[in-house]
Amino acid sequence: MTWTLSQSGSQTTGTLGTEYTLATDTNNGTFVIAADLSAMNNGSSGTVGDLVELRVYTKELSSGTGPIQAWKGTYQNAQINGIKISPPIASDQSLQGTIKQVSGSVGRSYPWKFLRI
Amino acid sequence: MWFTNLIDTVIPSLSRNTAESSMTMLQAGGFPLGWEVCRGSSWGAVANTTGLTTINSGTAPNTKGSWTVLANASATTTDVCWMGVQSYQFGMNAGTYSNSWAFDIGIGTSGSQQVVVNNLINSGSTGSQCIIRGEFPISIPANTSIWARSQSGTGNVTSGLVGIHLYDGAFTEMEGAAGVDSIGWNGSLSQSTQLTPGTATNTLGSYVQLTASTTRDYMGIFIISECFMNNGTGAGQQFGYQYLVDVAIGASGAEQVILSKFWFIRNGGWMGPSTSGFVPIQIPAGTRIAARSQCSSVAAGFKEFGIVAYGVYQ
């Protein structure tokens, strides 16, 4: 079995506090969402460092409400491990990933992808 | 754990008998999973006094006072998976066994607060101020008000101060716990559980039960110690008494030590460090917990001290 690159792209966080949807994937499979946050940095004197939130949403039933948050990871300042990989999530309805930069330097670009198996 | 699911569902071709290769797959970047917080914030610290927030006890003995807000919902904009608590107490006059001070941490709207952390003890006195500081996992959604309230054995204590630290976490950080139970605290008397070290110096005393049966499963535990300045036998301040404390689980006579030889030192009317720190040892519901101690002194009336254990539950 091999991984399928189900979705990919690069998201620029142009506005602090805005939650950007990376993609919504309706394929049936088990996914991991990976985002490259290696561009994050500490603040300089008098400024606040980068703070980014990654979220994963799913939908339970075809008739149900959604998307509903399943995982959230928050990262602040320069990262030791630049690649953030979500826990694997089995999805038969809908899977959505988002990114929000809460503070720091506006306009950073974060590559991302959804891998599916 | 989610990484077990990773092996089962995502990488079926990976040999599960190859522990080394599976661990290599799990350790992205080579660092272990499970401990990654950020976005720390402080609440209850008062910048213009370089102090903490006063939490008055109930006016009546052994009665919780009113809730005092530490963090308003409008200000707590981050989800919380880890909390630190710090407290300062300087006014428990006499500091007798019947005069402990303890505070709760609660969440929710005014008038509907829910206790999430029970009865953290801190019983310093005018001559021997006491400080506690401890951290533990806890889950609190963003935009939740966080409060504190307290009680004391004498009532009307206005010398207890509290502050908290809150942290958000990464994907790999655990979601946090639902709350913290006190184990070995007698709320109707405002008393911790008294331990008596061995008769001879540097010898262990008998186990004292903190609970006959835990009411829930706990994912971790920490302890807070306090000394009793005056057990009615005379002047209270003693300096330099050293203690080693074991916390154990199991039936009487068959105790198994889970926290071994935690060291405290008595400095006048307070113990330092007063808090053991959170230890993620899982304890099933229905477990008996007991503690014992030894002391570097045999002076009766002064070597005794109090302890409360705290179980963190999900």
Side-chain angles (χ1 to χ4, degrees), chain A residues 1 3 30 32-33 51 53-56 69 71-76 79-81 83-88 102 117, chain B residues 2-3 5-6 9-13 28-31 36 38-40 77-79 168-173 175:
Chain A
M1 298 179 71
W3 289 101
T30 300
V32 291
I33 297 177
L51 193 149
E53 296 175 348
L54 296 173
R55 287 181 170 81
V56 182
Q69 186 172 307
W71 286 98
K72 172 177 168 266
T74 302
Y75 304 91
Q76 186 173 31
Q79 297 297 297
I80 294 174
N81 301 317
I83 302 294
K84 306 305 178 185
I85 305 172
S86 75
V102 177
I117 200 165
Chain B
W2 68 263
F3 49 82
N5 292 334
L6 176 68
T9 65
V10 178
I11 314 176
S13 62
F31 284 83
E36 186 174 355
C38 64
R39 207 175 190 176
T77 56
T78 118
D79 299 312
D168 200 345
F171 278 141
T172 52
E173 178 61 33
E175 189 168 292

Side-chain angles (χ1 to χ4, degrees), chain B residues 238-255:
Chain B
Q238 297 293 331
F239 297 86
Y241 287 13
Q242 299 185 70
Y243 299 84
L244 295 177
V245 177
D246 291 336
V247 177
I249 58 173
S252 178
E255 290 89 352

Side-chain angles (χ1 to χ4, degrees), chain B residues 10-168:
Chain B
V10 178
I11 314 176
S13 62
L14 182 69
S15 169
R16 298 195 59 207
N17 294 323
T18 310
E20 180 178 334
S21 58
S22 63
M23 284 305 295
T24 300
M25 289 295 297
L26 293 171
Q27 292 176 358
F31 284 83
L33 302 171
W35 299 98
E36 186 174 355
V37 301
C38 64
R39 207 175 190 176
S41 60
S42 175
W43 306 89
V46 182
N48 62 8
T49 60
T50 315
L52 303 174
T53 297
T54 300
I55 307 297
N56 294 331
S57 78
T59 52
N62 312 313
T63 304
K64 289 283 168 55
S66 300
W67 290 104
T68 298
V69 70
L70 297 176
N72 278 309
S74 59
T76 55
T77 56
T78 118
D79 299 312
V80 175
C81 64
W82 192 264
M83 174 186 284
V85 176
Q86 49 191 6
S87 172
Y88 174 52
Q89 173 58 262
F90 60 91
M92 302 296 293
N93 286 331
T96 59
Y97 182 52
S98 62
N99 195 23
S100 292
W101 180 78
F103 63 96
D104 297 336
I105 302 293
I107 60 172
T109 57
S110 178
S112 300
Q113 292 90 343
Q114 301 290 316
V115 176
V116 291
V117 184
N118 281 273
N119 302 311
L120 296 175
I121 60 172
N122 189 3
S123 300
S125 68
T126 306
S128 293
Q129 296 90 346
C130 195
I131 300 161
I132 67 164
R133 178 176 286 127
E135 290 81 22
F136 42 84
I138 198 160
S139 282
I140 302 176
N143 301 119
T144 300
S145 292
I146 304 175
W147 311 74
R149 65 178 185 178
S150 70
Q151 72 176 77
S152 69
T154 56
N156 216 23
V157 168
T158 60
S159 54
L161 310 176
V162 174
I164 57 175
H165 294 104
L166 306 176
Y167 298 88
D168 200 345

